[in-house]
Amino acid sequence: MNVAEELIPETPEAVLDDAAGDAGEQPIKQRKNGLYPGVSDELAENMKSGWADTELRDLEPIPQAAETAARRAALSARFPGERLVIPAGNLKTRSNDTEYAFRASVEYAYLTGNQTEDGVLVLEPTGEGHSATIYLLPRSDRENGEFWLSGQGELWVGRRHSLTEAEKLYGLPAADVRELAGTLREATGPVRVVRGHDAGIEAALTDKVTAERDQELRVFLSEARLVKDDFEIGELQKAVDSTVRGFEDVVKVLDKAEATSERYIEGTFFLRARVEGNDIGYGTIAAAGPHACTLHWVRNDGPVRSGELLLLDAGVETHTYYTADVTRTLPVNGRYSEIQKKIYDAVYDAQEAGIAAVKPGAKYRDFHDAAQRVLAERIVGWGLVEGPVERVLELGLQRRWTLHGTGHMLGLDVHDCAAARTESYVDGVLEPGMVLTVEPGLYFQADDLTVPEEYRGIGVRIEDDILVTEDGNRNLSDGLPRRSDEVETWMASLRA
């Protein structure tokens, strides 16, 4: 529902009469089978008064306020003389009258630090650049009963910041978002909007924007995130540190997972993510046994058996939305078998080669090429495919068992900067401040008749989050062991 067009969303239990609210506002709607048929005049009047002043007057700016201001300044410089509209997005229905947990668009969060639904950042062109305003829902209205009757009112889902509070927090003038659609309809001059988040805002601009120009805005904001500032690097390190603790939590309860299923692993990691962060950064992959050969196994409903491997690909998302992305492939019983160790060590060696190739001035593709070469060499050496290695790499024959690329950018999205131009990303050059994953893998499907039977059903991936530094790189996730013997020692210490 677009709050710019309708003041109050559907209420769970009650209704105001048709005279409620100011002109242009819609009455609060009643749930069809609500137990209360209406609101008496006496009750409506009673609910308007007797409430303490809860305005927050000692607020400090959010920690990243200086960084978000600098990001807006860079955006302003790129698009002089144009109105820029960046929505947070709206709540999405999960089923009937329940919604998914809201997560603001990365573009909006990157530029404001705000995370509330229906928000919109607008940069209005001025003679010297732009003036920025954050448009938000104000606190629930107590005069028309929204605060207790609306399903999104304060007594149902919690208190929103007042516009005055928001100005202190985000360092921006704040205005009522319900007035924005009308303002945008009357706007003149060039306009760009980040599409895909707020249909109502887009409808208000439908005759003023073009898909090509809007895509240029999205691309710029994606490429702006390629190099992380100090605040972002700190948040990514927090995410990784919490993720390390989440992996430790899982190792300590593998016996309980054996007694139940992969869901126990998923739930254990999720607890750490919710206690220390905002959420998980993506659906946890808790893939035991042959499920490890399914790259994005998120059903997590299979058995966990001693003697098999567990591929755990998981990341904690911080309260500011930055996510880790780490994978370890662990022996459920704490010891790799001979064939498991053989495959694991090949992936480890490939990752070592990939990490070594991450440095400023290197081509982005270099770490992928280095890791793939090692894996191709092993596959040829094991007799799984005919060499020479150069032929295998040229034809991509190793991909039957390596399947995916060796990494991606990391940040506010687990696959960050996805809209960046190919020449700036995959065909680009690494710079200090970039953060990327290095995650080679080998996957021998259970039904693959081209490999010896002992290989079948074994999947291994090792993934770490790597920061490009001035003189090389730093492994943000080096708190988790990677070498097979170190993994075994680490697991034994945690279980003890």
Short mmCIF file of all heavy atoms in Angstrom, two decimals, residues 180-206:
data_model
loop_
_atom_site.label_atom_id
_atom_site.label_comp_id
_atom_site.label_asym_id
_atom_site.label_seq_id
_atom_site.Cartn_x
_atom_site.Cartn_y
_atom_site.Cartn_z
N LEU A 180 4.36 13.43 -0.30
CA LEU A 180 5.39 13.44 -1.33
C LEU A 180 4.86 13.12 -2.72
O LEU A 180 5.27 13.75 -3.70
CB LEU A 180 6.52 12.46 -0.97
CG LEU A 180 7.66 12.35 -1.97
CD1 LEU A 180 8.33 13.71 -2.17
CD2 LEU A 180 8.68 11.32 -1.49
N ALA A 181 3.98 12.14 -2.85
CA ALA A 181 3.51 11.75 -4.18
C ALA A 181 2.88 12.92 -4.91
O ALA A 181 3.13 13.14 -6.10
CB ALA A 181 2.52 10.59 -4.07
N GLY A 182 2.07 13.70 -4.19
CA GLY A 182 1.46 14.87 -4.81
C GLY A 182 2.48 15.89 -5.26
O GLY A 182 2.37 16.48 -6.34
N THR A 183 3.51 16.08 -4.44
CA THR A 183 4.57 17.02 -4.79
C THR A 183 5.32 16.55 -6.04
O THR A 183 5.62 17.34 -6.94
CB THR A 183 5.56 17.16 -3.63
OG1 THR A 183 4.86 17.65 -2.48
CG2 THR A 183 6.70 18.11 -3.98
N LEU A 184 5.60 15.24 -6.11
CA LEU A 184 6.35 14.72 -7.24
C LEU A 184 5.54 14.79 -8.53
O LEU A 184 6.10 14.98 -9.61
CB LEU A 184 6.77 13.27 -6.96
CG LEU A 184 7.82 13.09 -5.86
CD1 LEU A 184 8.10 11.60 -5.63
CD2 LEU A 184 9.10 13.84 -6.18
N ARG A 185 4.23 14.64 -8.44
CA ARG A 185 3.39 14.74 -9.64
C ARG A 185 3.49 16.12 -10.28
O ARG A 185 3.36 16.27 -11.49
CB ARG A 185 1.94 14.43 -9.29
CG ARG A 185 1.66 12.98 -9.00
CD ARG A 185 0.17 12.69 -8.92
NE ARG A 185 -0.09 11.37 -8.40
CZ ARG A 185 -0.33 11.08 -7.13
NH1 ARG A 185 -0.38 12.07 -6.24
NH2 ARG A 185 -0.55 9.84 -6.75
N GLU A 186 3.71 17.13 -9.44
CA GLU A 186 3.78 18.51 -9.93
C GLU A 186 5.21 18.92 -10.28
O GLU A 186 5.44 20.03 -10.74
CB GLU A 186 3.23 19.46 -8.86
CG GLU A 186 1.79 19.16 -8.44
CD GLU A 186 0.83 19.21 -9.61
OE1 GLU A 186 1.00 20.12 -10.45
OE2 GLU A 186 -0.06 18.35 -9.69
N ALA A 187 6.17 18.05 -10.05
CA ALA A 187 7.56 18.40 -10.25
C ALA A 187 7.86 18.65 -11.73
O ALA A 187 7.29 18.02 -12.61
CB ALA A 187 8.47 17.30 -9.73
N THR A 188 8.80 19.55 -11.95
CA THR A 188 9.25 19.82 -13.32
C THR A 188 10.76 19.62 -13.38
O THR A 188 11.44 19.56 -12.36
CB THR A 188 8.92 21.26 -13.73
OG1 THR A 188 9.53 22.17 -12.80
CG2 THR A 188 7.41 21.47 -13.75
N GLY A 189 11.29 19.51 -14.59
CA GLY A 189 12.72 19.31 -14.74
C GLY A 189 13.07 17.83 -14.71
O GLY A 189 12.24 16.97 -14.44
N PRO A 190 14.34 17.52 -14.98
CA PRO A 190 14.77 16.12 -15.06
C PRO A 190 14.70 15.42 -13.69
O PRO A 190 15.05 16.00 -12.67
CB PRO A 190 16.21 16.22 -15.56
CG PRO A 190 16.65 17.60 -15.20
CD PRO A 190 15.44 18.46 -15.28
N VAL A 191 14.24 14.18 -13.71
CA VAL A 191 14.08 13.39 -12.48
C VAL A 191 14.63 11.99 -12.73
O VAL A 191 14.47 11.43 -13.82
CB VAL A 191 12.59 13.29 -12.06
CG1 VAL A 191 12.47 12.54 -10.73
CG2 VAL A 191 11.95 14.66 -11.96
N ARG A 192 15.25 11.43 -11.72
CA ARG A 192 15.66 10.03 -11.73
C ARG A 192 15.15 9.36 -10.45
O ARG A 192 15.15 9.99 -9.39
CB ARG A 192 17.18 9.87 -11.82
CG ARG A 192 17.81 10.43 -13.08
CD ARG A 192 19.32 10.27 -13.04
NE ARG A 192 19.98 11.02 -14.10
CZ ARG A 192 20.52 10.47 -15.18
NH1 ARG A 192 20.46 9.15 -15.34
NH2 ARG A 192 21.13 11.21 -16.10
N VAL A 193 14.77 8.08 -10.55
CA VAL A 193 14.29 7.35 -9.39
C VAL A 193 14.92 5.96 -9.39
O VAL A 193 15.15 5.37 -10.44
CB VAL A 193 12.74 7.24 -9.39
CG1 VAL A 193 12.23 6.47 -10.59
CG2 VAL A 193 12.23 6.61 -8.10
N VAL A 194 15.21 5.44 -8.20
CA VAL A 194 15.65 4.05 -8.08
C VAL A 194 14.39 3.18 -8.10
O VAL A 194 13.55 3.27 -7.22
CB VAL A 194 16.44 3.82 -6.78
CG1 VAL A 194 16.79 2.33 -6.64
CG2 VAL A 194 17.72 4.66 -6.77
N ARG A 195 14.29 2.37 -9.13
CA ARG A 195 13.06 1.61 -9.36
C ARG A 195 13.03 0.29 -8.57
O ARG A 195 14.05 -0.20 -8.11
CB ARG A 195 12.90 1.29 -10.85
CG ARG A 195 12.80 2.52 -11.73
CD ARG A 195 12.38 2.16 -13.14
NE ARG A 195 12.31 3.34 -13.99
CZ ARG A 195 11.63 3.38 -15.11
NH1 ARG A 195 10.95 2.32 -15.54
NH2 ARG A 195 11.63 4.49 -15.85
N GLY A 196 11.81 -0.23 -8.46
CA GLY A 196 11.62 -1.56 -7.91
C GLY A 196 11.33 -1.63 -6.43
O GLY A 196 11.22 -2.73 -5.88
N HIS A 197 11.18 -0.47 -5.77
CA HIS A 197 10.97 -0.47 -4.33
C HIS A 197 9.65 0.14 -3.89
O HIS A 197 9.11 -0.26 -2.85
CB HIS A 197 12.13 0.26 -3.64
CG HIS A 197 13.47 -0.31 -3.93
ND1 HIS A 197 13.81 -1.61 -3.62
CD2 HIS A 197 14.57 0.23 -4.52
CE1 HIS A 197 15.06 -1.85 -4.00
NE2 HIS A 197 15.53 -0.75 -4.54
N ASP A 198 9.14 1.11 -4.61
CA ASP A 198 7.92 1.80 -4.19
C ASP A 198 7.08 2.12 -5.43
O ASP A 198 7.33 3.09 -6.14
CB ASP A 198 8.27 3.07 -3.43
CG ASP A 198 7.09 3.68 -2.70
OD1 ASP A 198 5.99 3.69 -3.28
OD2 ASP A 198 7.27 4.15 -1.56
N ALA A 199 6.06 1.30 -5.67
CA ALA A 199 5.24 1.46 -6.87
C ALA A 199 4.49 2.79 -6.87
O ALA A 199 4.28 3.39 -7.93
CB ALA A 199 4.25 0.30 -6.98
N GLY A 200 4.06 3.26 -5.70
CA GLY A 200 3.33 4.51 -5.63
C GLY A 200 4.19 5.70 -6.02
O GLY A 200 3.74 6.60 -6.75
N ILE A 201 5.42 5.73 -5.55
CA ILE A 201 6.34 6.81 -5.90
C ILE A 201 6.65 6.76 -7.40
O ILE A 201 6.69 7.79 -8.09
CB ILE A 201 7.62 6.72 -5.07
CG1 ILE A 201 7.33 7.02 -3.59
CG2 ILE A 201 8.70 7.65 -5.60
CD1 ILE A 201 6.79 8.41 -3.33
N GLU A 202 6.87 5.57 -7.91
CA GLU A 202 7.14 5.44 -9.34
C GLU A 202 5.95 5.90 -10.17
O GLU A 202 6.11 6.53 -11.22
CB GLU A 202 7.49 3.99 -9.68
CG GLU A 202 8.84 3.57 -9.13
CD GLU A 202 9.17 2.12 -9.45
OE1 GLU A 202 8.81 1.66 -10.55
OE2 GLU A 202 9.78 1.46 -8.60
N ALA A 203 4.72 5.59 -9.72
CA ALA A 203 3.53 6.01 -10.46
C ALA A 203 3.44 7.53 -10.50
O ALA A 203 3.01 8.11 -11.52
CB ALA A 203 2.29 5.42 -9.81
N ALA A 204 3.84 8.20 -9.43
CA ALA A 204 3.79 9.66 -9.39
C ALA A 204 4.79 10.28 -10.37
O ALA A 204 4.63 11.43 -10.77
CB ALA A 204 4.06 10.15 -7.97
N LEU A 205 5.80 9.51 -10.75
CA LEU A 205 6.84 10.03 -11.63
C LEU A 205 6.77 9.43 -13.03
O LEU A 205 7.67 9.63 -13.85
CB LEU A 205 8.22 9.71 -11.03
CG LEU A 205 8.57 10.42 -9.73
CD1 LEU A 205 9.84 9.82 -9.13
CD2 LEU A 205 8.74 11.91 -9.96
N THR A 206 5.72 8.69 -13.34
CA THR A 206 5.69 7.87 -14.54
C THR A 206 5.92 8.64 -15.83
O THR A 206 6.50 8.12 -16.78
CB THR A 206 4.34 7.10 -14.61
OG1 THR A 206 4.38 6.19 -15.71
CG2 THR A 206 3.16 8.05 -14.78
#
